[in-house]
Amino acid sequence: MIISETTSFGGRYLRVSHASSTLNCEMTYGLFLPPEASEDNPAPVLYWLSGLTCTDENFMQKAGAHRLAAELGIAILAPDTSPRGEGVPDDPDGSYDLGLGAGFYLNATKPPWSSHYHMFDYVLDELPAVVKAQFPISDVWSIAGHSMGGHGALVLGLRHPYRFRSISAFAPIVNPSACPWGHKAFQNYLGDDEARWHDYDACHLLSHLMEEDEVLPLLIDQGDADQFLEQQLLLPNLDPQLDRLQCSAEIRIQPGYDHSYYFIASFIDDHLRFHADYLFAQNNGAE
């Protein structure tokens, strides 16, 4: 069901709800369609995964991405960050880093979370099929995100490179097994077996790849004034693995920028152009 529709830079920004069989609840997503998107001309898609406490609306309202996406002809799909609604479990202590708004883009295996918190499968399989059945989007996708969403983009892109053309992230949580946010989420959602945690940890996923394995083109922006950089994001932990694999990756440290949407808005055009190079390339990646 379309909740709202707004014209933006000649395109359409929609908020849409649907019943999710993967998450066992009603979900809402945001979709920007560029002006020329049609059944005869389906648009390639940039998947955007947001961070802790966000909904489907934060990126669409704050990042300023519609103008260039309309110009480039890219659709943007922004899901919510967790299941929602009556009966969906939340952190009993009311903290922001577990439960509602904090799905961590994984498939929970530990009760009570396992009944709803299957964001990995939702993002990978169910939501793309739901959106494509109703709107003019193509099978050509890239993926991006911020913070917890940057973690999600990295993990999905590393585990399923055939589904995407490229990956980018703003201030991603790259080694969640080793930081307080990730440790809390993984222990609650997945239990104490840390081997399961590594399936959702970019540093551990990269450590098991060989030079001949495919790693998608990657762009990461990180502000050096980010209050979460040293304790939660752990970006330097990614460097040895990227150096070892010699993959097409660029990590940019941006002086003076913090963790906010001002940071994202300042560099989102770079990320859109980065993805456009791969989304519109012929015979490259996903089919």
Side-chain angles (χ1 to χ4, degrees):
M1 180 182 71
I2 295 176
I3 299 170
S4 64
E5 180 173 346
T6 305
T7 301
S8 180
F9 294 96
R12 303 164 64 197
Y13 166 44
L14 306 106
R15 295 189 70 228
V16 185
S17 67
H18 74 104
S20 169
S21 59
T22 303
L23 304 179
N24 298 311
C25 66
E26 192 79 8
M27 290 294 288
T28 300
Y29 64 86
L31 177 67
F32 174 76
L33 292 170
E36 65 271 30
S38 68
E39 290 186 7
D40 295 329
N41 185 37
V45 181
L46 178 61
Y47 223 143
W48 176 268
L49 306 183
S50 289
L52 289 165
T53 76
C54 290
T55 68
D56 63 283
E57 294 186 277
N58 296 73
F59 177 81
M60 293 296 197
Q61 294 179 351
K62 296 180 179 180
H66 291 181
R67 178 191 59 78
L68 187 57
E71 179 182 321
L72 295 171
I74 296 172
I76 301 174
L77 175 60
D80 204 343
T81 53
S82 78
R84 305 272 181 175
E86 186 177 354
V88 175
D90 193 11
D91 182 11
D93 296 328
S95 64
Y96 71 93
D97 54 358
L98 184 70
L100 301 184
F104 268 85
Y105 304 102
L106 51 72
N107 292 331
T109 57
K110 184 179 176 182
W113 315 101
S114 55
S115 60
H116 294 279
Y117 283 74
H118 298 145
M119 288 296 294
F120 188 93
D121 285 351
Y122 174 73
V123 170
L124 183 68
D125 294 319
E126 183 182 17
L127 184 57
V130 165
V131 178
K132 189 177 179 184
Q134 188 172 1
F135 298 105
I137 60 171
S138 76
D139 290 323
V140 181
W141 293 58
S142 289
I143 191 164
H146 171 231
S147 193
M148 179 186 71
H151 141 75
L154 287 169
V155 169
L156 281 152
L158 289 171
R159 287 178 56 176
H160 296 279
Y162 61 92
R163 296 290 298 273
F164 305 103
R165 295 285 184 95
S166 50
I167 309 168
S168 76
F170 290 85
I173 307 169
V174 303
N175 195 183
S177 298
C179 78
W181 279 341
H183 193 277
K184 179 178 180 179
F186 288 179
Q187 191 168 49
N188 278 274
Y189 294 142
L190 302 172
D192 294 329
D193 182 1
E194 295 190 15
R196 290 184 176 179
W197 301 8
H198 296 169
D199 289 338
Y200 302 101
D201 187 305
C203 285
H204 283 279
L205 291 171
L206 284 167
S207 72
H208 288 90
L209 295 179
M210 306 300 291
E211 287 188 24
E212 61 269 21
D213 291 326
E214 180 180 6
V215 179
L216 294 172
L218 173 64
L219 172 64
I220 294 176
D221 273 317
Q222 174 64 61
D224 70 359
D226 190 321
Q227 66 271 38
F228 301 115
L229 176 56
E230 292 186 6
Q231 186 179 21
Q232 303 283 12
L233 306 179
L234 306 180
L235 185 62
N237 294 5
L238 203 64
D239 292 337
Q241 300 303 331
L242 294 176
D243 291 343
R244 179 181 63 84
L245 294 168
Q246 299 182 339
C247 52
S248 177
E250 182 179 8
I251 297 179
R252 309 191 305 185
I253 304 301
Q254 304 293 359
Y257 285 90
D258 60 15
H259 202 70
S260 70
Y261 265 86
Y262 296 109
F263 169 47
I264 297 171
S266 297
F267 298 102
I268 191 61
D269 283 5
D270 290 353
H271 286 241
L272 287 168
R273 291 191 176 96
F274 165 78
H275 290 296
D277 286 344
Y278 300 99
L279 288 169
F280 293 105
Q282 297 298 314
N283 301 317
N284 178 25
E287 296 181 357

